[in-house]
Amino acid sequence: MVALLMFAAVCCAAPVGNAFSAYVALEAGAQDGTGIAGGGSAAGIPARMLTAYKNAVQQVGKYSPRCQGMRWPILAGIAKAESNHAVGRNISAGGDIRPKIYGVLLNGSGQGGNTTVFPDTDGGTWDGIANGERAVGPFQFLPSTWERIGRDAGGDRTADPHNADDAALGAAIYLCGDGRDLTKRSQLKAAIWQYNHSSEYVADVVGWIDQYTVAATNPGLKDVTGKVRTVIEAALSQRGVPYSWGGGDRSGASYGICCSPSGKSGARIKGFDCSGLTTYAYATAEIHLPRTAAAQAGAGRRIPAGLGTGALKPGDLVFYATAPGRNSTIYHVGIYLGGGQMVNAPRPGAVVRLDAVHAMSGYAGGARLL
């Protein structure tokens, strides 16, 4: 074993699981009270961690030759749930993460949700404590698991779970098992279940994998020019910035307000909600939008939902409603990129990212302002 372990009709809320592994209650967190770290890097992943995930995909075939379908978004989904990609730590060029990431002591005390005692297996070599066990590194391996699957990915002859490259390769080996086909949804879920026996955890990680898969598809903007390009590039530049209820204005990210209908406060989070992001992106092209998604539906030329998403063009606003056809029920807005994708600030607990237009329910058409 590795580490045991809303939908509300409001602007930018969407149904995604938000499980948090009990054994990933880090002793020194790098996040604010929302569980979301400030960002701005591609897909919200530090560049050095993303390199580690991609390197692991290239190397895993040496150790699990029958494994199929290992992709960096799979590793990113696990690492997001386990350590938020080690955001806030220092990651050296060689991949060493400092300060090291430790989970809670698994002594059955109930801290972090653990109720089972795990005796020490490594004498404190990896987890820094000789009278018990705790999960370690960005992928939160128990030392006993690391002893079995840890490999040296960087060529320094040491397999270290506190090294981004080694940890990512170990996770890839563990998920591949005896030769899973991870292109099959059932086998992918089985691999994640092996990592943490929790249906909530599986749903959460699969959700992140899907998001990173979309984010890995770089939108082609070569034929997009003028103010449309300005708007899209402004929105894309905010990928990885946290969702904040009421956050965002013409100047950029800002602290939000309390509280959304689901009870989420943005008052301590600097970021964007859905209409805050569109307000900012369009302001860079000197177009001033009303602040809420429903009000923005009255701007520009409406594109009826009945025409389908094929009628959308890059730069169009994309709307979602609880009762499509009634603008007063519009609860969400994004910016269409083309190819079925949009820039999206989707919900509390998420970040600005690329999503499929059909990732949200209640498509209510669009609006063209450019």
Side-chain angles (χ1 to χ4, degrees), residues 326-364:
R326 294 173 55 194
N327 283 358
S328 62
T329 70
I330 287 175
Y331 70 91
H332 189 82
V333 60
I335 299 175
Y336 189 65
L337 290 178
Q341 297 182 65
M342 64 178 170
V343 190
N344 195 23
R347 63 180 173 87
V351 297
V352 177
R353 66 196 192 204
L354 300 188
D355 273 331
V357 170
H358 291 303
M360 304 193 70
S361 61
Y363 175 65

mmCIF file of all heavy atoms in Angstrom, residues 326-364:
data_model
loop_
_atom_site.group_PDB
_atom_site.id
_atom_site.type_symbol
_atom_site.label_atom_id
_atom_site.label_comp_id
_atom_site.label_asym_id
_atom_site.label_seq_id
_atom_site.Cartn_x
_atom_site.Cartn_y
_atom_site.Cartn_z
ATOM 1 N N ARG A 326 -33.199 30.783 -20.556
ATOM 2 C CA ARG A 326 -33.553 31.873 -19.646
ATOM 3 C C ARG A 326 -32.262 32.493 -19.114
ATOM 4 O O ARG A 326 -31.577 31.912 -18.266
ATOM 5 C CB ARG A 326 -34.407 31.354 -18.493
ATOM 6 C CG ARG A 326 -35.791 30.848 -18.929
ATOM 7 C CD ARG A 326 -36.521 30.188 -17.774
ATOM 8 N NE ARG A 326 -36.612 31.087 -16.623
ATOM 9 C CZ ARG A 326 -36.959 30.676 -15.403
ATOM 10 N NH1 ARG A 326 -37.222 29.385 -15.189
ATOM 11 N NH2 ARG A 326 -37.038 31.543 -14.414
ATOM 12 N N ASN A 327 -31.934 33.654 -19.631
ATOM 13 C CA ASN A 327 -30.679 34.288 -19.250
ATOM 14 C C ASN A 327 -30.547 34.524 -17.748
ATOM 15 O O ASN A 327 -29.453 34.541 -17.201
ATOM 16 C CB ASN A 327 -30.504 35.615 -19.986
ATOM 17 C CG ASN A 327 -30.076 35.427 -21.427
ATOM 18 O OD1 ASN A 327 -29.864 34.302 -21.874
ATOM 19 N ND2 ASN A 327 -29.964 36.522 -22.160
ATOM 20 N N SER A 328 -31.673 34.695 -17.088
ATOM 21 C CA SER A 328 -31.621 34.971 -15.650
ATOM 22 C C SER A 328 -31.089 33.795 -14.850
ATOM 23 O O SER A 328 -30.689 33.958 -13.689
ATOM 24 C CB SER A 328 -33.020 35.350 -15.139
ATOM 25 O OG SER A 328 -33.931 34.276 -15.326
ATOM 26 N N THR A 329 -31.070 32.593 -15.461
ATOM 27 C CA THR A 329 -30.583 31.408 -14.744
ATOM 28 C C THR A 329 -29.144 31.064 -15.104
ATOM 29 O O THR A 329 -28.642 30.019 -14.684
ATOM 30 C CB THR A 329 -31.487 30.190 -15.021
ATOM 31 O OG1 THR A 329 -31.304 29.758 -16.381
ATOM 32 C CG2 THR A 329 -32.946 30.514 -14.768
ATOM 33 N N ILE A 330 -28.483 31.910 -15.896
ATOM 34 C CA ILE A 330 -27.086 31.652 -16.255
ATOM 35 C C ILE A 330 -26.217 31.745 -15.006
ATOM 36 O O ILE A 330 -26.292 32.705 -14.249
ATOM 37 C CB ILE A 330 -26.602 32.644 -17.327
ATOM 38 C CG1 ILE A 330 -27.242 32.269 -18.676
ATOM 39 C CG2 ILE A 330 -25.079 32.653 -17.441
ATOM 40 C CD1 ILE A 330 -26.932 33.234 -19.793
ATOM 41 N N TYR A 331 -25.406 30.716 -14.791
ATOM 42 C CA TYR A 331 -24.578 30.660 -13.585
ATOM 43 C C TYR A 331 -23.086 30.599 -13.890
ATOM 44 O O TYR A 331 -22.259 30.687 -12.967
ATOM 45 C CB TYR A 331 -24.959 29.439 -12.730
ATOM 46 C CG TYR A 331 -24.569 28.109 -13.347
ATOM 47 C CD1 TYR A 331 -23.332 27.525 -13.075
ATOM 48 C CD2 TYR A 331 -25.442 27.432 -14.195
ATOM 49 C CE1 TYR A 331 -22.974 26.311 -13.634
ATOM 50 C CE2 TYR A 331 -25.091 26.222 -14.756
ATOM 51 C CZ TYR A 331 -23.855 25.659 -14.481
ATOM 52 O OH TYR A 331 -23.495 24.463 -15.056
ATOM 53 N N HIS A 332 -22.717 30.470 -15.165
ATOM 54 C CA HIS A 332 -21.296 30.253 -15.467
ATOM 55 C C HIS A 332 -20.957 30.787 -16.851
ATOM 56 O O HIS A 332 -21.779 30.774 -17.768
ATOM 57 C CB HIS A 332 -20.964 28.759 -15.408
ATOM 58 C CG HIS A 332 -19.491 28.487 -15.492
ATOM 59 N ND1 HIS A 332 -18.662 28.584 -14.402
ATOM 60 C CD2 HIS A 332 -18.696 28.153 -16.528
ATOM 61 C CE1 HIS A 332 -17.425 28.310 -14.774
ATOM 62 N NE2 HIS A 332 -17.413 28.055 -16.067
ATOM 63 N N VAL A 333 -19.694 31.243 -17.003
ATOM 64 C CA VAL A 333 -19.215 31.741 -18.285
ATOM 65 C C VAL A 333 -17.748 31.366 -18.447
ATOM 66 O O VAL A 333 -16.978 31.328 -17.483
ATOM 67 C CB VAL A 333 -19.399 33.278 -18.393
ATOM 68 C CG1 VAL A 333 -18.626 33.999 -17.295
ATOM 69 C CG2 VAL A 333 -18.999 33.785 -19.772
ATOM 70 N N GLY A 334 -17.368 31.044 -19.685
ATOM 71 C CA GLY A 334 -15.974 30.775 -20.031
ATOM 72 C C GLY A 334 -15.630 31.495 -21.327
ATOM 73 O O GLY A 334 -16.471 32.189 -21.909
ATOM 74 N N ILE A 335 -14.397 31.331 -21.799
ATOM 75 C CA ILE A 335 -13.950 31.954 -23.048
ATOM 76 C C ILE A 335 -13.545 30.853 -24.008
ATOM 77 O O ILE A 335 -12.650 30.047 -23.717
ATOM 78 C CB ILE A 335 -12.772 32.914 -22.806
ATOM 79 C CG1 ILE A 335 -13.181 34.037 -21.869
ATOM 80 C CG2 ILE A 335 -12.267 33.486 -24.131
ATOM 81 C CD1 ILE A 335 -12.046 34.967 -21.494
ATOM 82 N N TYR A 336 -14.211 30.810 -25.160
ATOM 83 C CA TYR A 336 -13.988 29.734 -26.128
ATOM 84 C C TYR A 336 -12.648 29.898 -26.828
ATOM 85 O O TYR A 336 -12.260 30.995 -27.239
ATOM 86 C CB TYR A 336 -15.115 29.719 -27.155
ATOM 87 C CG TYR A 336 -15.076 28.515 -28.067
ATOM 88 C CD1 TYR A 336 -15.271 27.240 -27.545
ATOM 89 C CD2 TYR A 336 -14.841 28.653 -29.441
ATOM 90 C CE1 TYR A 336 -15.237 26.127 -28.371
ATOM 91 C CE2 TYR A 336 -14.813 27.542 -30.269
ATOM 92 C CZ TYR A 336 -15.007 26.282 -29.724
ATOM 93 O OH TYR A 336 -14.961 25.169 -30.550
ATOM 94 N N LEU A 337 -11.923 28.769 -26.946
ATOM 95 C CA LEU A 337 -10.619 28.766 -27.606
ATOM 96 C C LEU A 337 -10.655 28.220 -29.013
ATOM 97 O O LEU A 337 -9.809 28.539 -29.842
ATOM 98 C CB LEU A 337 -9.629 27.893 -26.807
ATOM 99 C CG LEU A 337 -9.159 28.401 -25.466
ATOM 100 C CD1 LEU A 337 -8.233 27.367 -24.837
ATOM 101 C CD2 LEU A 337 -8.413 29.705 -25.656
ATOM 102 N N GLY A 338 -11.647 27.368 -29.284
ATOM 103 C CA GLY A 338 -11.661 26.596 -30.516
ATOM 104 C C GLY A 338 -11.368 25.142 -30.191
ATOM 105 O O GLY A 338 -10.856 24.809 -29.114
ATOM 106 N N GLY A 339 -11.697 24.261 -31.117
ATOM 107 C CA GLY A 339 -11.431 22.843 -30.906
ATOM 108 C C GLY A 339 -12.176 22.244 -29.745
ATOM 109 O O GLY A 339 -11.751 21.241 -29.157
ATOM 110 N N GLY A 340 -13.322 22.846 -29.380
ATOM 111 C CA GLY A 340 -14.115 22.304 -28.280
ATOM 112 C C GLY A 340 -13.595 22.638 -26.902
ATOM 113 O O GLY A 340 -14.061 22.067 -25.913
ATOM 114 N N GLN A 341 -12.637 23.568 -26.794
ATOM 115 C CA GLN A 341 -12.055 23.908 -25.507
ATOM 116 C C GLN A 341 -12.367 25.349 -25.108
ATOM 117 O O GLN A 341 -12.630 26.195 -25.961
ATOM 118 C CB GLN A 341 -10.535 23.740 -25.536
ATOM 119 C CG GLN A 341 -10.061 22.315 -25.772
ATOM 120 C CD GLN A 341 -8.546 22.251 -25.722
ATOM 121 O OE1 GLN A 341 -7.938 22.486 -24.685
ATOM 122 N NE2 GLN A 341 -7.931 21.950 -26.834
ATOM 123 N N MET A 342 -12.291 25.594 -23.809
ATOM 124 C CA MET A 342 -12.478 26.944 -23.295
ATOM 125 C C MET A 342 -11.507 27.191 -22.147
ATOM 126 O O MET A 342 -11.046 26.253 -21.487
ATOM 127 C CB MET A 342 -13.914 27.153 -22.814
ATOM 128 C CG MET A 342 -14.314 26.289 -21.636
ATOM 129 S SD MET A 342 -16.001 26.636 -21.083
ATOM 130 C CE MET A 342 -16.272 25.288 -19.910
ATOM 131 N N VAL A 343 -11.186 28.457 -21.905
ATOM 132 C CA VAL A 343 -10.471 28.843 -20.689
ATOM 133 C C VAL A 343 -11.526 29.005 -19.616
ATOM 134 O O VAL A 343 -12.533 29.691 -19.824
ATOM 135 C CB VAL A 343 -9.690 30.157 -20.871
ATOM 136 C CG1 VAL A 343 -8.782 30.377 -19.667
ATOM 137 C CG2 VAL A 343 -8.875 30.137 -22.143
ATOM 138 N N ASN A 344 -11.284 28.397 -18.455
ATOM 139 C CA ASN A 344 -12.355 28.235 -17.494
ATOM 140 C C ASN A 344 -11.853 28.424 -16.065
ATOM 141 O O ASN A 344 -10.815 27.886 -15.693
ATOM 142 C CB ASN A 344 -12.923 26.808 -17.646
ATOM 143 C CG ASN A 344 -14.257 26.612 -16.964
ATOM 144 O OD1 ASN A 344 -14.987 27.572 -16.731
ATOM 145 N ND2 ASN A 344 -14.587 25.372 -16.668
ATOM 146 N N ALA A 345 -12.573 29.223 -15.292
ATOM 147 C CA ALA A 345 -12.388 29.263 -13.837
ATOM 148 C C ALA A 345 -13.593 28.523 -13.273
ATOM 149 O O ALA A 345 -14.659 29.099 -13.080
ATOM 150 C CB ALA A 345 -12.338 30.697 -13.327
ATOM 151 N N PRO A 346 -13.485 27.216 -13.031
ATOM 152 C CA PRO A 346 -14.678 26.374 -12.909
ATOM 153 C C PRO A 346 -15.418 26.363 -11.589
ATOM 154 O O PRO A 346 -16.647 26.282 -11.583
ATOM 155 C CB PRO A 346 -14.125 24.971 -13.211
ATOM 156 C CG PRO A 346 -12.710 25.042 -12.790
ATOM 157 C CD PRO A 346 -12.249 26.445 -13.064
ATOM 158 N N ARG A 347 -14.728 26.428 -10.454
ATOM 159 C CA ARG A 347 -15.424 26.188 -9.195
ATOM 160 C C ARG A 347 -14.507 26.461 -8.024
ATOM 161 O O ARG A 347 -13.282 26.461 -8.165
ATOM 162 C CB ARG A 347 -15.876 24.722 -9.120
ATOM 163 C CG ARG A 347 -14.685 23.769 -9.130
ATOM 164 C CD ARG A 347 -15.100 22.323 -9.053
ATOM 165 N NE ARG A 347 -13.948 21.458 -9.219
ATOM 166 C CZ ARG A 347 -13.142 21.054 -8.243
ATOM 167 N NH1 ARG A 347 -13.369 21.447 -7.005
ATOM 168 N NH2 ARG A 347 -12.120 20.260 -8.481
ATOM 169 N N PRO A 348 -15.066 26.631 -6.827
ATOM 170 C CA PRO A 348 -14.224 26.719 -5.634
ATOM 171 C C PRO A 348 -13.354 25.477 -5.492
ATOM 172 O O PRO A 348 -13.797 24.361 -5.727
ATOM 173 C CB PRO A 348 -15.246 26.818 -4.496
ATOM 174 C CG PRO A 348 -16.461 27.429 -5.133
ATOM 175 C CD PRO A 348 -16.502 26.843 -6.514
ATOM 176 N N GLY A 349 -12.110 25.682 -5.133
ATOM 177 C CA GLY A 349 -11.190 24.564 -4.958
ATOM 178 C C GLY A 349 -10.432 24.181 -6.203
ATOM 179 O O GLY A 349 -9.620 23.261 -6.174
ATOM 180 N N ALA A 350 -10.685 24.871 -7.325
ATOM 181 C CA ALA A 350 -9.987 24.571 -8.571
ATOM 182 C C ALA A 350 -9.138 25.782 -8.968
ATOM 183 O O ALA A 350 -9.029 26.761 -8.238
ATOM 184 C CB ALA A 350 -10.985 24.210 -9.667
ATOM 185 N N VAL A 351 -8.540 25.699 -10.148
ATOM 186 C CA VAL A 351 -7.724 26.789 -10.674
ATOM 187 C C VAL A 351 -8.182 27.107 -12.096
ATOM 188 O O VAL A 351 -8.908 26.324 -12.724
ATOM 189 C CB VAL A 351 -6.227 26.413 -10.694
ATOM 190 C CG1 VAL A 351 -5.705 26.171 -9.287
ATOM 191 C CG2 VAL A 351 -5.977 25.181 -11.579
ATOM 192 N N VAL A 352 -7.756 28.239 -12.602
ATOM 193 C CA VAL A 352 -8.030 28.574 -14.004
ATOM 194 C C VAL A 352 -7.328 27.540 -14.876
ATOM 195 O O VAL A 352 -6.156 27.231 -14.672
ATOM 196 C CB VAL A 352 -7.521 29.991 -14.340
ATOM 197 C CG1 VAL A 352 -7.740 30.283 -15.817
ATOM 198 C CG2 VAL A 352 -8.232 31.033 -13.481
ATOM 199 N N ARG A 353 -8.046 27.006 -15.856
ATOM 200 C CA ARG A 353 -7.507 25.894 -16.635
ATOM 201 C C ARG A 353 -8.229 25.800 -17.969
ATOM 202 O O ARG A 353 -9.189 26.532 -18.233
ATOM 203 C CB ARG A 353 -7.697 24.596 -15.864
ATOM 204 C CG ARG A 353 -9.169 24.218 -15.694
ATOM 205 C CD ARG A 353 -9.391 23.175 -14.631
ATOM 206 N NE ARG A 353 -10.746 22.637 -14.678
ATOM 207 C CZ ARG A 353 -11.376 22.083 -13.679
ATOM 208 N NH1 ARG A 353 -10.786 21.988 -12.497
ATOM 209 N NH2 ARG A 353 -12.600 21.599 -13.805
ATOM 210 N N LEU A 354 -7.799 24.866 -18.795
ATOM 211 C CA LEU A 354 -8.521 24.544 -20.022
ATOM 212 C C LEU A 354 -9.488 23.412 -19.724
ATOM 213 O O LEU A 354 -9.137 22.444 -19.055
ATOM 214 C CB LEU A 354 -7.561 24.099 -21.127
ATOM 215 C CG LEU A 354 -6.484 25.083 -21.566
ATOM 216 C CD1 LEU A 354 -5.763 24.546 -22.804
ATOM 217 C CD2 LEU A 354 -7.071 26.442 -21.849
ATOM 218 N N ASP A 355 -10.700 23.535 -20.232
ATOM 219 C CA ASP A 355 -11.703 22.486 -20.091
ATOM 220 C C ASP A 355 -12.407 22.298 -21.425
ATOM 221 O O ASP A 355 -12.461 23.218 -22.254
ATOM 222 C CB ASP A 355 -12.770 22.868 -19.053
ATOM 223 C CG ASP A 355 -12.376 22.486 -17.641
ATOM 224 O OD1 ASP A 355 -11.627 21.505 -17.477
ATOM 225 O OD2 ASP A 355 -12.805 23.167 -16.694
ATOM 226 N N ALA A 356 -12.966 21.108 -21.608
ATOM 227 C CA ALA A 356 -13.860 20.898 -22.740
ATOM 228 C C ALA A 356 -15.136 21.698 -22.518
ATOM 229 O O ALA A 356 -15.607 21.835 -21.386
ATOM 230 C CB ALA A 356 -14.187 19.414 -22.890
ATOM 231 N N VAL A 357 -15.697 22.232 -23.596
ATOM 232 C CA VAL A 357 -16.938 23.001 -23.489
ATOM 233 C C VAL A 357 -18.041 22.143 -22.873
ATOM 234 O O VAL A 357 -18.879 22.641 -22.116
ATOM 235 C CB VAL A 357 -17.364 23.542 -24.867
ATOM 236 C CG1 VAL A 357 -18.764 24.141 -24.821
ATOM 237 C CG2 VAL A 357 -16.367 24.588 -25.345
ATOM 238 N N HIS A 358 -18.019 20.859 -23.161
ATOM 239 C CA HIS A 358 -19.069 19.978 -22.646
ATOM 240 C C HIS A 358 -18.760 19.452 -21.251
ATOM 241 O O HIS A 358 -19.482 18.577 -20.746
ATOM 242 C CB HIS A 358 -19.284 18.804 -23.607
ATOM 243 C CG HIS A 358 -19.910 19.210 -24.905
ATOM 244 N ND1 HIS A 358 -21.127 19.862 -24.977
ATOM 245 C CD2 HIS A 358 -19.476 19.093 -26.185
ATOM 246 C CE1 HIS A 358 -21.431 20.111 -26.239
ATOM 247 N NE2 HIS A 358 -20.440 19.665 -26.996
ATOM 248 N N ALA A 359 -17.696 19.960 -20.619
ATOM 249 C CA ALA A 359 -17.363 19.508 -19.266
ATOM 250 C C ALA A 359 -18.376 19.992 -18.237
ATOM 251 O O ALA A 359 -18.449 19.455 -17.134
ATOM 252 C CB ALA A 359 -15.970 19.991 -18.880
ATOM 253 N N MET A 360 -19.162 21.008 -18.603
ATOM 254 C CA MET A 360 -20.139 21.549 -17.670
ATOM 255 C C MET A 360 -21.539 21.358 -18.232
ATOM 256 O O MET A 360 -21.734 21.236 -19.451
ATOM 257 C CB MET A 360 -19.855 23.032 -17.414
ATOM 258 C CG MET A 360 -18.434 23.263 -16.924
ATOM 259 S SD MET A 360 -18.160 24.905 -16.257
ATOM 260 C CE MET A 360 -19.108 24.814 -14.749
ATOM 261 N N SER A 361 -22.504 21.327 -17.357
ATOM 262 C CA SER A 361 -23.881 21.063 -17.783
ATOM 263 C C SER A 361 -24.632 22.356 -18.058
ATOM 264 O O SER A 361 -24.286 23.416 -17.550
ATOM 265 C CB SER A 361 -24.609 20.277 -16.689
ATOM 266 O OG SER A 361 -24.664 21.017 -15.477
ATOM 267 N N GLY A 362 -25.676 22.241 -18.870
ATOM 268 C CA GLY A 362 -26.567 23.372 -19.114
ATOM 269 C C GLY A 362 -26.056 24.379 -20.131
ATOM 270 O O GLY A 362 -26.222 25.580 -19.951
ATOM 271 N N TYR A 363 -25.433 23.867 -21.211
ATOM 272 C CA TYR A 363 -24.916 24.791 -22.245
ATOM 273 C C TYR A 363 -26.021 25.743 -22.687
ATOM 274 O O TYR A 363 -27.120 25.319 -23.064
ATOM 275 C CB TYR A 363 -24.372 24.012 -23.440
ATOM 276 C CG TYR A 363 -23.939 24.885 -24.589
ATOM 277 C CD1 TYR A 363 -22.863 25.754 -24.437
ATOM 278 C CD2 TYR A 363 -24.621 24.862 -25.803
ATOM 279 C CE1 TYR A 363 -22.457 26.569 -25.486
ATOM 280 C CE2 TYR A 363 -24.217 25.675 -26.848
ATOM 281 C CZ TYR A 363 -23.131 26.527 -26.687
ATOM 282 O OH TYR A 363 -22.737 27.340 -27.737
ATOM 283 N N ALA A 364 -25.728 27.042 -22.642
ATOM 284 C CA ALA A 364 -26.747 28.056 -22.932
ATOM 285 C C ALA A 364 -26.319 29.000 -24.049
ATOM 286 O O ALA A 364 -26.758 30.148 -24.098
ATOM 287 C CB ALA A 364 -27.059 28.844 -21.667
#
